[in-house]
Amino acid sequence: NIGTYAGYNVTDGNYNTFIGKETASDLVSGDYNIAIGWQALHHTETGYYNICIGSHSCSIGTINSNVTAIGYNAGYFNNTDGGLYIGANAGYSNQTGQNIICIGNNSGYNNTNNDNTFIGYNSGYGYSTSTGQYNIGIGSNTLCNLYTGINNVAIGNNSLTSNQTGSNNIALGISVLNNSNQANQKYNIGIGKNALNNGQKSYNIAIGGNFDDTTSIFSTNNTIAIGPNTYLNTSNSGIIKFTENANTQYPPSNTFWFGDPDNGWINLN
């Protein structure tokens, strides 16, 4: 051990490495731990197979095992078994959530529940104390306002950024579903840049998006929009469109259109 009070209270421990002032200073019992940095693994009293590198990594929790925390304040409050935190403040607030992966600065900052994966700067940062579960966010700011939503998948920078309580949504692409936040927003699928980026309802599918264009559903339910710059404004309707030109006409309820605004539409009903 190297550093003032490093491993100071260990009475039952083997194969530990502590480097830095007050690293694992409260540890009493534990094996195969590595703590490097000021107050890394500081208050852990019982812990096994931990790797904590960075000042204050896994600093507050009293029980830690099988945790990897790399970065300043990574896993700061962690007080449970398991967890992978890489990046400054990654998984900062988690105390009891298990099976957590946070990679990227501030990723999963306010997460407190189980089985979430956040990869990217601010991914899964969370609103207040986030209790959302079974979520996957990959990309900067994905699910960064998550609160209680469950079973969401967001892949692509800024996708599902505003979602707090909506569940069972899939967003693939940049800025997909990024302005959506309603408790009943669920079971939406958006694929392509800006797809469904103003969607506020449920059971919608939007596939398309091109450059700065938008494939969007305007506060509707049960719709399908396929093609770049495809817009719908009525629930229970759909369009498959082939050109980039935006449509200015919309199918009525219980109607599905096929074609484009230049050459007309075929009603598939």
Side-chain angles (χ1 to χ4, degrees):
N1 299 335
I2 301 173
T4 305
Y5 299 116
Y8 184 77
N9 288 301
V10 174
T11 58
D12 181 17
N14 297 287
Y15 310 107
N16 295 301
T17 300
F18 304 134
I19 300 174
K21 183 178 180 180
E22 297 178 344
T23 55
S25 58
D26 289 347
L27 187 70
V28 175
S29 177
D31 302 325
Y32 302 100
N33 296 291
I34 298 173
I36 300 174
W38 179 39
Q39 292 188 347
L41 212 63
H42 179 43
H43 288 298
T44 296
E45 297 175 2
T46 302
Y48 299 86
Y49 304 102
N50 296 295
I51 299 174
C52 302
I53 300 174
S55 295
H56 299 112
S57 55
C58 289
S59 184
I60 300 300
T62 58
I63 300 174
N64 286 292
S65 290
N66 301 299
V67 175
T68 298
I70 300 174
Y72 172 73
N73 281 346
Y76 184 75
F77 283 101
N78 191 82
N79 196 41
T80 188
D81 293 343
L84 173 63
Y85 313 112
I86 299 176
N89 299 313
Y92 178 87
S93 300
N94 184 57
Q95 295 187 45
T96 58
Q98 295 183 323
N99 304 314
I100 306 299
I101 297 174
C102 300
I103 300 176
N105 291 352
N106 299 324
S107 58
Y109 185 92
N110 284 311
N111 176 81
T112 60
N113 212 338
N114 303 327
D115 303 298
N116 291 304
T117 298
F118 303 121
I119 299 174
Y121 172 74
N122 275 349
S123 176
Y125 183 95
Y127 175 82
S128 185
T129 301
S130 176
T131 59
Q133 194 171 11
Y134 307 116
N135 296 288
I136 297 173
I138 300 175
S140 296
N141 299 314
T142 51
L143 289 165
C144 63
N145 285 294
L146 186 67
Y147 187 30
T148 59
I150 62 173
N151 296 320
N152 294 292
V153 176
I155 300 176
N157 293 349
N158 300 317
S159 59
L160 277 170
T161 54
S162 298
N163 183 63
Q164 293 184 2
T165 57
S167 298
N168 302 294
N169 298 291
I170 298 175
L172 305 178
I174 296 173
S175 298
V176 178
L177 278 160
N178 72 331
N179 290 320
S180 305
N181 177 35
Q182 284 193 357
N184 62 347
Q185 177 191 309
K186 57 189 177 182
Y187 299 105
N188 295 296
I189 299 174
I191 301 174
K193 183 178 179 181
N194 296 323
L196 281 168
N197 72 339
N198 290 304
Q200 295 291 327
K201 295 295 184 178
S202 302
Y203 305 102
N204 299 295
I205 298 174
I207 301 174
N210 184 30
F211 303 105
D212 292 328
D213 300 331
T214 302
T215 298
S216 183
I217 305 290
F218 295 109
S219 299
T220 59
N221 294 310
N222 304 310
T223 60
I224 298 174
I226 299 176
N229 302 308
T230 303
Y231 297 91
L232 296 171
N233 64 359
T234 305
S235 293
N236 305 305
S237 66
I239 284 183
I240 296 177
K241 185 171 67 67
F242 300 103
T243 65
E244 292 186 9
N245 295 334
N247 60 292
T248 57
Q249 296 177 312
Y250 312 102
S253 182
N254 300 312
T255 303
F256 200 100
W257 285 359
F258 177 90
D260 63 75
D262 297 323
N263 299 298
W265 302 102
I266 299 174
N267 190 336
L268 298 181
N269 284 17

